[in-house]
Structures are given as C-alpha cells and as structure tokens.
Amino acid sequence: MDSTEVRADAEFRAEIRNWLSEHLSGDWAAYKGLGGPGREHEAHEERLAWNQHLAAHQWTCVGWPVEHGGRGLSLAQQVIFHEEYALSQAPARVNHLGEELLGPTLIAHGTPAQQQRFLPAIRAVTELWCQGYSEPDAGSDLANVQTKARLDDDEWVIDGQKVWTSNAHESDWIFVVARTEPGSQRHRGLSFLLVPLDQPGIEVRPIEQLTGGSEFNEVFFTDARTSADLVVGEQGAGWGVAMALLGYERGVSTLAQQVGFERELAALVDLARSNGSLDDPILRDRLARAKVGLTVMKANALRSLDDPAPGAESIAKLVWANWHRDLGELAMQIAGSASLTAGADYDLDVWQRLFLFSRADTIYGGSDEIQRNILAERVLGLPKEPRG
C-alpha cells in the first residue's frame, strides 16, 4: 500500500469509529453486545431498528459495488469496518444472510430484474432472509438434497423439509436449494430458488436448543410456491450458485467474529484473575495457548483474504470452530463448580451459554469431517471416501 492508501484507510477508520461512538449512545447504548450466534433471541426488534438506522446512514452493504447501492469499499476498508463495528460492541446485525451472503450472490449470478427487486430491500433491511440448505439427511453433505421443485405454468411448486434454518421465524424470504430434475443425483439437477415464507404452503417450527434459545428452525414445504423467474443462475445449475454463496459466508466478516473471540478471551482472563484460577499453571498455560492460537488465526485470515490458497476456507473453518469449542471448555474449568448449575428457570450465565453453543461450532456451516474430506480430496488429491 502506498502512503495515499494508508492515509485513506486511517481516515476511514476514524470516520466509522467516530460515527459509532456518536450513535451508540442514548437508547441505543442499552443494546451494546446483544445478539449473535446463540443469542439471536436478544432484543430482536431493537436490533432490527438499529440495523435500519445503519442503513439510513449508508452503513449496510459497505462492500457492495456503488451501482448496487453499496459503498464500494476496498478489502482493507471492509476489514476496518468489521473490526471497528465489533470493537464498539454494537448490537449484532439481524441481516447477515441477506447482506453478506445472498446480496453478493445476486450481484454475481442474479438477473437484472432479481437485483432490482431484492437488493434495495436487503440494503434497507426491510426484508430479512434465511438459508434453506440443510435437510434431515443432507446437512454438511449438501449434494444429498431431497427437497423437490417442479414447474407449474409460471410458478415453482416446492415440497420437502429444511432443518437448522437460522432465524427462519424472523425472516421474510428463504433461498432454497431444491432438486428440479427428477431422477438426478448428487450435485446435478439442483436449482437455487428464492421463496417467500409468508404463504400457506410453508410451516416454520422453532427448535429449542440446550441454551434455551430457538434461533434454529425446521421449515416444511407443502406445495409452496414461488415465481418461475426466481431461480438464480440456470435451472439445474444451482450447485455452483450454492457453493459461490458459501464462499461469501467465510469472507471478510469473519474478522469481526475474531474480534468477538478476542473480547471473550479477555473476559475469561479477567475471570481467571478474579477467582484465582490464573495461579494454576495448567490453566494459565491454556489461556496463553488460546491467545497464541487466536493471533495465528487472525494472521491466517488476513493472508487468505489477500491471496486465498486452495482449501483456505476449510482450513479457516476447522481452526476457528475447534478454537472456540476449546475456549468454551476452558471457560467451564476456570469458572469451577459454579459452572455446573444454572439459575432459576434455566437462566444460564455467559460462560455456560458459550460452552453449550460452541459445541455446535464444529458441526454447523460444514462439519469438521466434511472440511477434512474437502482438504483430502480436492487439495491433497487423496482417494475419495467410499460412499454407501
């Protein structure tokens, strides 16, 4: 980077930091730190209003091209935005799937009509989206999708079931991977459809988790319908669109996640210091290792964003998921016997919630086993795993 770019980035960091400091005040200050994975039930309506406040000041979709309503920020400035947002402890945004995943997918693969219909509402946070990928027999193995869709005149008719659908109960639309070619197998014959949730043919059932929250859902489709022109990409070529979207899922916004990890680790060190656990050499060593692991994780994420190597996304997922799960286990040991009992009405403290929810980190978004298979087969060229 030359001196002009460095100066521009420093000015941008000051701009977003000052804006957040000014606006995260008054009533908004009460919602700092709320929301996020495992805590999506917290102040949803207030966080939605905050997200719309961001949109009104052009702080949503900052990496989108200007012609699609974004700010067209450079990669470095996107990193700065996500870092400062996380450091400010601003409420977790409610439109991640629309803004960070579907929006870029529509920009790359959608028709002009689809872009004009959906991108403005995503940017303004007036329509919320959820992801219809996983099924009871097609979790990390997405190519095993059994949900079917058939054309009936000018509409797709959809039958099937999706599961572990984050925030479906709060969403307006769902993007669905469905099998549109009868008799097709694996990744062939799939299509990527945009489907409205508010219709008689769709039932959403929240799934209560160990944490007591219900951010995941089952979604049942029974003759559900969507317009024939709401297929993204070519009919039967939805696998490529679905994989492109997953690439956006592990993009620049993951750096904000790591700022959250830094905050959790710092708070855990404070707990260890206050209750004397830091005097235990084994626990002190584990905290030090966690710090080193987090530093390496962030350096690798920055390197991968700048020059992604084959398999970088799978490596990153394996690293952060296992690091975070281990942090949850370490938190229980540092908290000691107090971690073994919940409060009245199953009121969990922050460390108990971290421990329970982080158990899922190595499963959702592509399980460890699937990530290792991807690295073995696609990067190292090892023989494919036998399939029954």
Side-chain angles (χ1 to χ4, degrees):
M1 296 176 63
D2 60 29
S3 59
T4 302
E5 292 175 311
V6 172
R7 184 168 59 255
D9 289 350
E11 291 172 353
F12 176 73
R13 186 180 292 277
E15 178 188 359
I16 180 58
R17 181 178 292 178
N18 291 338
W19 189 91
L20 288 167
S21 176
E22 177 185 350
H23 287 260
L24 276 172
S25 58
D27 292 340
W28 294 125
Y31 305 111
K32 283 188 175 183
L34 296 183
R39 300 167 59 196
E40 292 290 355
H41 60 286
E42 295 177 340
H44 174 81
E45 292 302 319
E46 291 80 3
R47 291 191 295 118
L48 173 60
W50 165 254
N51 218 159
Q52 292 171 342
H53 182 70
L54 289 171
H57 290 80
Q58 295 187 303
W59 287 117
T60 56
C61 309
V62 294
W64 289 13
V66 173
E67 59 267 28
H68 290 294
R71 283 186 173 233
L73 296 186
S74 67
L75 179 60
Q77 290 175 331
Q78 291 178 60
V79 170
I80 289 169
F81 171 80
H82 287 291
E83 286 181 341
E84 291 299 325
Y85 192 90
L87 287 168
S88 74
Q89 298 189 57
R93 294 176 293 164
V94 300
N95 198 30
H96 171 76
L97 290 171
E99 179 176 341
E100 304 289 350
L101 276 67
L102 181 64
T105 302
L106 289 178
I107 290 170
H109 301 280
T111 65
Q114 290 168 354
Q115 293 168 354
Q116 291 167 14
R117 164 63 184 85
F118 294 110
L119 293 182
I122 293 173
R123 194 197 66 78
V125 203
T126 55
E127 289 179 341
L128 301 183
W129 286 82
C130 58
Q131 181 179 41
Y133 276 19
S134 295
E135 298 182 4
D137 294 317
S140 295
D141 186 13
L142 184 60
N144 199 37
V145 160
Q146 298 301 309
T147 294
K148 295 178 174 59
R150 57 182 173 82
L151 274 175
D152 180 17
D153 294 329
D154 59 351
E155 290 184 314
W156 291 101
V157 181
I158 307 161
D159 290 280
Q161 176 187 356
K162 298 295 181 177
V163 72
W164 309 121
T165 310
S166 298
N167 296 321
H169 60 304
E170 302 285 6
S171 298
D172 305 293
W173 287 77
I174 181 171
F175 47 92
V176 176
V177 176
R179 197 163 294 283
T180 54
E181 295 181 7
S184 61
Q185 296 182 347
R186 304 299 298 164
H187 60 274
R188 297 178 180 85
L190 300 173
S191 295
F192 191 103
L193 307 177
L194 310 177
V195 183
L197 281 168
D198 186 12
Q199 59 172 298
I202 294 181
E203 179 185 1
V204 177
R205 298 181 190 170
I207 301 170
E208 185 172 352
Q209 301 153 209
L210 286 172
T211 58
S214 300
E215 67 189 71
F216 297 125
N217 300 266
E218 294 178 286
V219 183
F220 296 87
F221 302 85
T222 306
D223 291 336
R225 292 178 176 266
T226 195
S227 176
D229 61 355
L230 294 185
V231 55
V232 181
E234 296 295 326
Q235 178 181 336
W239 177 261
V241 179
M243 293 301 100
L245 182 141
L246 290 178
Y248 298 122
E249 182 178 26
R250 294 165 192 162
V252 67
S253 64
T254 59
L255 291 170
Q257 175 193 56
Q258 292 171 20
V259 174
F261 290 170
E262 288 180 333
R263 190 182 303 119
E264 288 176 340
L265 179 57
L268 187 57
V269 170
D270 288 342
L271 174 64
R273 184 177 289 111
S274 66
N275 71 6
S277 296
L278 200 61
D279 296 332
D280 183 323
I282 295 177
L283 294 179
R284 189 166 63 246
D285 179 71
R286 290 186 62 186
L287 285 168
R289 289 175 180 271
K291 176 63 175 178
V292 171
L294 185 57
T295 302
V296 172
M297 187 194 313
K298 184 174 182 179
N300 187 61
L302 288 168
R303 181 181 63 179
S304 297
L305 286 172
D306 185 56
D307 184 21
E313 295 169 359
S314 292
I315 292 171
K317 174 61 169 59
L318 282 167
V319 171
W320 76 252
N322 284 272
W323 183 93
H324 202 222
R325 180 203 59 196
D326 292 346
L327 186 72
E329 294 176 353
L330 179 56
M332 292 296 93
Q333 293 188 342
I334 288 176
S337 59
S339 68
L340 300 178
T341 57
D345 299 321
Y346 198 61
D347 182 24
L348 302 174
D349 66 28
V350 62
W351 303 116
Q352 292 168 326
R353 190 176 298 279
L354 169 65
F355 169 72
L356 291 173
F357 192 83
S358 64
R359 311 304 295 171
D361 284 344
T362 59
I363 301 173
Y364 72 79
S367 70
D368 280 7
E369 292 77 10
I370 292 296
Q371 302 307 324
R372 291 189 177 104
N373 277 353
I374 290 172
L375 292 171
E377 297 172 10
R378 303 180 192 175
V379 179
L380 300 178
L382 297 177
K384 291 184 177 296
E385 182 181 39
R387 299 186 182 276

